[in-house]
Amino acid sequence: MKPLLSILAVAVIAVSTLAQERSAEDAAYYKKWIGSKAPPIKCDQSDRTNFMEANYKGKQILLYSFDAGNFVDGPDLPRLTKELQSLHEVRTGLTSSFAVIGFTRGVQWTPCFGTTNVPKEIDELSRFPVINLNNKRGENALGEPYELLMFPSGILIGTNGIICAVFLHPMTANDFKSIASISACPEPPHEPPRREGEK
């Protein structure tokens, strides 16, 4: 029994180490997107309405991925409310040339499922287009660098359409506040990065 437990412990450590290495590799990869032109964003009728890419040209855009639960678990409302309040304070303090597009698996933000409405206390805080991540696989995949948004994170695109910051973790109040001081990357943009081994 002891040898089996030892083997299992080594296997768990190896998997954990691999996950940490992959995370560091992903961080390095996504940071290389800073200074690249942002590709078009895909959305469809399962996404919350009022998203039209043409309306966002010339604006600073935050692509904000947040944890709003899933088909099984509802959102942690106190945590999510606090997070959205921090974002709301920044949004209302910036000019009209700033916009937010949300990304989440939370079914309450996905009208086509006919689920319960977004709770009233956070509905006003989330009055921005929200893209449904539940169906973004295969041919509907977001593509890079937007695959980063499959988990809570953020990508900031400058007024010139060039990626000027990436947030590789769930965004915090300090992250939102930092947006005001992040200027657009100078042009011309560099070529998008490739993952190691990618042609």
Side-chain angles (χ1 to χ4, degrees), residues 39-118:
I41 301 167
K42 298 175 187 174
C43 66
D44 57 39
Q45 67 268 23
S46 72
D47 303 319
R48 194 156 87 173
T49 55
N50 79 335
F51 170 74
M52 287 184 61
E53 196 160 11
N55 295 342
Y56 291 86
K57 286 188 176 173
K59 292 190 175 187
Q60 185 185 43
I61 307 166
L62 174 64
L63 307 180
Y64 162 56
S65 180
F66 58 103
D67 183 1
N70 51 47
F71 286 105
V72 178
D73 302 310
D76 176 345
L77 288 178
R79 180 202 53 74
L80 183 57
T81 302
K82 188 175 178 184
E83 190 174 316
L84 288 168
Q85 282 172 335
S86 298
L87 174 58
H88 185 71
E89 287 171 19
V90 170
R91 286 175 66 207
T92 53
L94 292 173
T95 65
S96 59
S97 63
F98 176 74
V100 174
I101 302 170
F103 295 78
T104 188
R105 296 182 189 281
V107 293
Q108 292 169 313
W109 278 263
T110 309
C112 73
F113 291 125
T115 56
T116 56
N117 292 328
V118 176

Side-chain angles (χ1 to χ4, degrees), residues 5 36 38 49 61 68 79 93 125 134 139 149 154 175 197-199:
L5 288 174
S36 297
T49 55
I61 307 166
R79 180 202 53 74
L125 298 173
N134 293 301
E139 62 182 30
L149 301 168
D175 291 328
E198 187 182 355
K199 292 182 180 179

Side-chain angles (χ1 to χ4, degrees), residues 155-171:
I155 297 174
L156 186 66
I157 302 171
T159 52
N160 56 3
I162 297 174
I163 296 170
C164 51
V166 293
F167 301 90
L168 301 158
H169 51 263
M171 293 190 71

